[in-house]
Amino acid sequence: MIVSIFNDVIGPVMRGPSSSHCAAALRIGRLARDLMGGEFNEVLVEFDRNGSLPTTHDSQGSDMGLFGGLLGWDAADERLPGSPQALRDAGVTIRIETVDTGDEHPNTYRLTLRNPRGEQHTLIAISTGGGMMEVINVDGFAVSLFGDYHETFLSVIGNGADLVKRVTALGGVDEVLLHEHCGKQWVEVKAAHFLSDATIAELRKACPILSVKRLAPVLPIASRKDTRVPFTTCAEMLAHDAGRNLPLWKLAVEYEMARGHLTEAEVIAKMVDIVRILRRSIQQGIAGTQYEDRVLGHQSGKFNELLQAGRLLNGGALNRIVLYVTAMMEVKSSMGVIVAAPTAGACAALPGAVIAMAEEMQYSEEQMAKAMLASGLIGVFIATRWTFAAEVGGCQAEGGSAAAMAAAALVSLANGTLLQSVAAASMAFQSMLGLICDPVANRVEVPCLGKNVLAASNALSCANIALADYDPVIPFDEVLETAQRVASQMPRELRCTAQGGLSITPTSLAIEQRLAAKKAASCGSGCACH
Ligand code: SF4
């Protein structure tokens, strides 16, 4: 799939501590719900013992997101924290089990759903970071679904090839695929709309169709088969620019126009909407947030008081950046609305840096949006060749990516050159290589707040040294390849399993126990998820 800024990099708009847990699981749940036509009363969820989910699915919000998705909710739905109870109230029994399946990807979800009439379907999906997911198997058929099309599945026996020809001949669809498994056939139709009942009735006259399943898209930007983007790596982008020195945000707009079949005005307007959400969240965070199940309380309020009273060390705009980063992290931890940019764990560094700096410069929301778009293009390069998933890459994939993206965005705000934007991204990423993921008490708060502050501070420093034409030496694409190589050398204990680093300190374990006891007390013994 071709990466989109709004699908894969700046988004989703969501609630919850972790996009690779909450938002991705919610999307998986929505697709599973559609597979059952919205009717089911039993769900079995299985996680591989050696993956990251057995130890994180509850505390990092997979359950909350998955249950919300099974209920058909949106990723920013305010009812999400109550999704376990809502699912129970809907009469659905959930079992979550740890199994030995040897799944290759650490974030693999295996779902089996049944309805009272005995109909059963299975779905296997992986969460690939930043809220993105891929369904890789449905009912034993190997598939590849990213939630970017209207998907119509037609179950047939023996005449699948003929049906593929007939559907293709109808025109107006993007892809028609034949899947075969154990003597059964499925024809998958990817399009901008579902095959209508009338069309299916017509097809049935020539080919017996046993059943029809319709899975609605879960991504904001749809795909089309004929989509071509102008570049997918930093080097290709520089070649495409061919010395014109276009601003990075303009190249980002050009990319997203091609990817999403949008106009320039639509791309900018979408990002302005996101900027408005971010600004509201920051103000909400500073005003104060409440949530029981979290490690840190409201800290940004006091920071703001000292900042306003001139009682902090003089950090210039950096102090406002730190305030905004903290406020955004507090909103995330209180289940408020955030934007995964590029992930929920690292949701604060980029918007904190961009919005604080733009406000210092008295810039408009459109200027903020352009800087966010510039950062989005750096994220496109990362998501195309690698991942934002800490389970794969450690915190260098989250915080490192956020720092690189924010550095490029800040250069963009300062009207720096294209080469300076790219240099800032390269230098910021270089200094985040090897960063481990070790959330305290299995909550995405500590050391995540510090890592977001670090990423934003690093971004500001790297933007300034890039503006002064410091030499990054290593091109951005090579730094990205290095992050990938370093990730493959990191033990899984240091990649978001809560089994290493600060996660296993006595203090972390004690906090985790305390929070678990509190949650159990408020949840009661009838919790469907345990
Ligand atoms: S340590 Fe970094 S990667 Fe891990 S949960 Fe926190 S922000 Fe995400």
Side-chain angles (χ1 to χ4, degrees), residues 27-40 43 69-70 72 110-115 117 119-125 135-141 143 145 151-155 186 188 194 211-218:
R27 287 169 166 171
I28 292 167
R30 289 254 303 255
L31 292 170
R33 177 186 173 86
D34 285 357
L35 187 63
M36 296 299 293
E39 188 198 2
F40 53 94
V43 182
L70 289 169
R110 292 173 169 265
L111 269 55
T112 305
L113 301 97
R114 291 187 194 93
N115 70 19
R117 290 180 286 102
E119 186 180 345
Q120 172 176 311
H121 292 287
T122 61
L123 180 147
I124 305 175
V135 176
I136 56 173
N137 193 294
V138 176
D139 286 350
F141 295 96
V143 295
L145 264 79
E151 302 264 3
T152 310
F153 284 95
L154 308 169
S155 162
W186 257 25
E188 178 191 359
F194 292 127
S211 67
V212 179
K213 295 287 170 195
R214 293 186 172 102
L215 275 59
V218 292

Side-chain angles (χ1 to χ4, degrees), residues 345-346 390 395 398 436-439 444 448 451:
C395 197
E398 287 201 30
I436 64 171
C437 172
D438 54 345
V444 186
C448 314
K451 284 174 173 172

